Structures are given as structure tokens and as C-alpha cells.
Amino acid sequence: MAKIEKGRLDGVWGMRTRTAEELRAWAEDLEAQIRDPKNTDDPKWLQRWADRMRRLADKKEKSLEHKERQR
């Protein structure tokens, strides 16, 4: 599996193109790969990225709630 580049999730591009639900689903897919016996990727690496995507999803939801309160 190709590694996720840092710039693909961070910043404006990643926040605008992916919803929080998509980020959480992606994190779940990575965690499923950890449990797969055929997986050749480092489980610690996969878990770090899954955690990072969940944090981004939380931030995105928080920012959307903030925008709603501002209106």
C-alpha cells in the first residue's frame, strides 16, 4: 500500500475535500489492515495515521460547530 503523504491530509486542501465521516472511515480501514495477517505495513505506522485522521475529523467537526455558532 502506498504511504499517505503528509500534505494530503493537513492544511486547507485536506480539510475541504474530506468530511469528518470520510476521515473516520479511512482510519477504520487502516485499523482493519493492522488486524489483517497478510498486512506488510508497520502496525505502529498505521495506528499513528489512524489516530491522526481521527484528530483531524474531530477538529473539522469542532470548526463546523464554531461556524454555526458564529452565524
Side-chain angles (χ1 to χ4, degrees):
M1 176 181 166
K3 303 295 185 208
I4 301 169
E5 295 176 19
K6 200 172 199 176
R8 290 176 61 189
L9 287 176
D10 291 344
V12 174
W13 186 85
M15 291 296 279
R16 286 186 180 163
T17 59
R18 306 248 185 242
T19 64
E21 293 81 22
E22 288 174 326
L23 290 171
R24 284 199 176 89
W26 199 353
E28 289 172 12
D29 289 343
L30 288 175
E31 288 176 338
Q33 284 181 354
I34 294 170
R35 294 184 296 274
D36 184 10
K38 296 177 185 175
N39 179 36
T40 58
D41 286 331
D42 181 23
K44 290 180 183 178
W45 183 91
L46 291 169
Q47 188 61 56
R48 279 195 307 267
W49 274 100
D51 294 342
R52 185 178 180 104
M53 282 187 256
R54 282 205 174 88
R55 282 193 304 272
L56 283 172
D58 291 343
K59 286 180 183 180
K60 182 164 183 121
E61 283 182 347
K62 205 175 206 180
S63 70
L64 291 174
E65 290 172 4
H66 178 72
K67 278 185 178 179
E68 288 298 319
R69 283 194 307 263
Q70 294 295 324
R71 290 182 189 167

